[in-house]
């Protein structure tokens, strides 16, 4: 009877030792941190993965060390110029202080709810300092959208680290849109503004075009006047040089020059439809008096000179001398 009791006692003692040994050992995964608590109070934080020892009555709470993301709900805000905008955001974070995290939040679901509240609050506070046109600027204007995102990211990261032990690695605004009921009116206003800018550019272009055309016409007139002036000067110089050459050439044989000029005069003024009435002493008839035609009276070589009081020439033209 005594032996049976002793065996039972030894068996219970061995089971107790085995339970104590199992309860005193725990493992930490590489993706987690082990937070050791004693009666609800955090004793220490184990970050190194592997097998570790604790007291049997202590409890280990695993805390995820991986990067996590949170997508707060879509929310509507007012800008500084009282324009309604709808914003969707996304935050990437991790638990940097497991002790602080367990003391304030305990679970990931709680962390996402609190972090979403902080993000939405900071976006609303920052957006109240920005007009709508600064966030959707176009046409060469500088946009302040990135300034807004950086301001919200800095504020959220500082508060989440201090209050919850969460490190916000990145935060961005995924979408900035207009409420469905306001889109049509806003788009019409934007089109009207762009139309005004287009008309202004078109007016400036037409004004510059008229100015450039006027300048070109003035330059064209100036160049043409200078060219005409130079051409007239060159033509006058050429005519003077030609007259000088003619005078020098014809001055060498004046009778021949007179004879040539007379023939040119006959060729110019006489044809088959021309009749001339000239006085008897006209110099232009000198050759017709001295040279008579071979088959006509008074004209041609070797023929007697016609009477001075009545001279007629047949040929390409007709000349009569009045008495």
């Amino acid at each position: 009877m005594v032996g049976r009791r002793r065996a039972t006692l030894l068996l219970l003692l061995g089971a107790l030792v085995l339970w104590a040994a199992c309860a005193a050992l725990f493992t930490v995964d590489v993706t987690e941190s082990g937070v050791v608590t004693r009666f609800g109070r955090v004793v220490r934080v184990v970050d190194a993965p592997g097998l570790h020892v604790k007291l049997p009555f202590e409890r280990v709470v695993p805390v995820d060390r991986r990067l996590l993301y949170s997508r707060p709900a879509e929310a509507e805000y007012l800008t500084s110029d009282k324009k309604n905008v709808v914003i969707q955001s996304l935050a990437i974070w991790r638990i940097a202080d497991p002790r602080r995290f367990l003391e304030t939040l305990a679970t990931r679901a709680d962390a996402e709810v609190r972090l979403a509240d902080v993000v939405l609050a900071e976006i609303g506070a920052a957006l109240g300092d920005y007009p709508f046109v600064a966030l959707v600027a176009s046409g060469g204007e500088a946009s302040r959208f990135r300034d807004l995102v950086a301001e919200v990211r800095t504020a959220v990261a500082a508060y989440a680290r201090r209050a919850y032990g969460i490190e916000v690695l990145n935060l961005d605004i995924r979408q900035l849109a207009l409420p469905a009921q306001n889109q049509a009116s806003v788009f019409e206003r934007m089109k009207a503004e762009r139309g005004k800018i287009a008309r202004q550019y078109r007016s400036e272009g037409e004004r510059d075009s008229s100015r450039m055309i006027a300048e070109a016409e003035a330059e064209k007139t100036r160049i043409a006047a200078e060219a005409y002036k130079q051409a007239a000067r060159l033509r006058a110089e050429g005519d003077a040089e030609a007259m000088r050459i003619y005078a020098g050439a014809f001055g060498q044989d004046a009778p021949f020059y007179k004879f040539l000029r007379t023939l040119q005069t006959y060729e110019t003024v006489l044809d088959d439809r021309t009749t001339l009435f000239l006085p008897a002493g006209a110099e232009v008839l000198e050759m017709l008096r001295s040279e008579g035609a071979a088959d006509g009276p008074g004209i041609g070589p070797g023929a007697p000179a016609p009477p001075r009081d009545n001279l007629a020439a047949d040929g390409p033209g007709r000349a009569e001398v009045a008495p």
Side-chain angles (χ1 to χ4, degrees):
M1 188 69 181
V2 176
R4 182 180 295 179
R5 289 179 178 177
R6 183 178 296 176
T8 302
L9 184 59
L10 290 176
L11 183 61
L12 291 175
L13 184 60
L16 181 61
V17 172
L18 181 61
W19 171 83
C22 292
L25 297 177
F26 68 95
T27 59
V28 177
D29 190 77
V30 69
T31 62
E32 297 175 341
S33 294
V35 181
V36 181
T37 63
R38 183 184 304 165
F39 307 116
R41 183 172 60 87
V42 177
V43 177
R44 69 182 189 276
V45 177
V46 180
D47 294 327
L51 185 63
H52 299 273
V53 179
K54 65 178 181 61
L55 297 177
F57 52 84
E58 292 179 340
R59 179 171 172 262
V60 178
V61 180
V63 177
D64 201 337
R65 299 172 57 188
R66 294 173 296 181
L67 293 180
L68 306 172
Y69 73 92
S70 177
R71 185 177 297 172
E74 183 178 272
E76 185 173 338
Y77 302 93
L78 278 177
T79 60
S80 62
D81 52 353
K82 307 304 179 183
K83 298 295 191 304
N84 293 73
V85 293
V86 178
I87 288 181
Q88 293 181 358
S89 56
L90 176 68
I92 299 176
W93 55 280
R94 69 180 182 89
I95 301 172
D97 187 352
R99 183 190 299 270
R100 184 64 176 168
F101 179 80
L102 286 181
E103 290 175 351
T104 56
L105 299 174
T107 64
R108 176 180 175 181
D110 294 338
E112 290 183 350
V113 172
R114 297 291 182 86
L115 185 60
D117 292 341
V118 174
V119 171
L120 296 179
E122 292 297 340
I123 290 177
L127 199 60
D129 298 331
Y130 291 84
F132 180 75
V133 294
L135 305 178
V136 293
S138 61
E141 300 176 1
S143 173
R144 300 176 60 191
F145 179 77
R146 288 301 166 191
D147 297 338
L148 169 67
V149 175
E151 182 178 342
V152 173
R153 183 187 301 122
T154 302
V156 171
Y159 184 85
R161 183 64 180 255
R162 181 179 67 255
Y164 307 124
I166 293 175
E167 180 183 2
V168 178
L169 301 176
N170 194 11
L171 187 146
D172 202 357
I173 295 178
R174 298 177 57 247
Q175 183 179 6
L176 188 148
L178 298 171
Q181 63 272 19
N182 297 345
Q183 287 183 1
S185 61
V186 173
F187 288 160
E188 289 298 327
R189 185 167 64 251
M190 292 175 66
K191 287 195 294 185
E193 292 175 356
R194 294 301 176 268
K196 179 180 179 181
I197 295 174
R199 289 192 297 272
Q200 178 182 354
Y201 287 161
R202 191 177 296 111
S203 175
E204 293 176 356
E206 292 176 353
R207 181 192 62 195
D208 293 342
S209 174
S210 300
R211 178 179 56 79
M212 289 187 287
I213 290 175
E215 292 177 355
E217 290 293 337
E219 184 68 12
K220 173 185 174 182
T221 303
R222 185 187 64 79
I223 294 175
E226 292 181 357
Y228 180 79
K229 176 181 178 182
Q230 185 175 3
R233 180 178 58 80
L234 294 177
R235 188 181 298 110
E237 293 177 356
D239 291 343
E241 182 67 16
M243 293 301 296
R244 186 186 63 79
I245 295 174
Y246 283 146
F250 292 125
Q252 297 178 4
D253 192 347
F256 176 74
Y257 172 70
K258 182 177 181 180
F259 171 74
L260 181 62
R261 295 295 293 174
T262 302
L263 292 180
Q264 291 176 349
T265 302
Y266 290 163
E267 184 179 13
T268 301
V269 302
L270 296 179
D271 56 22
D272 56 353
R273 295 185 301 274
T274 302
T275 300
L276 297 178
F277 292 92
L278 300 173
E283 187 177 358
V284 72
L285 299 179
E286 183 66 27
M287 186 176 296
L288 295 179
R289 295 193 192 97
S290 60
E291 299 291 341
D295 54 352
I299 297 178
R308 295 183 58 87
D309 57 348
N310 189 6
L311 177 60
D314 295 330
R318 176 186 174 91
E320 296 184 3
V321 180

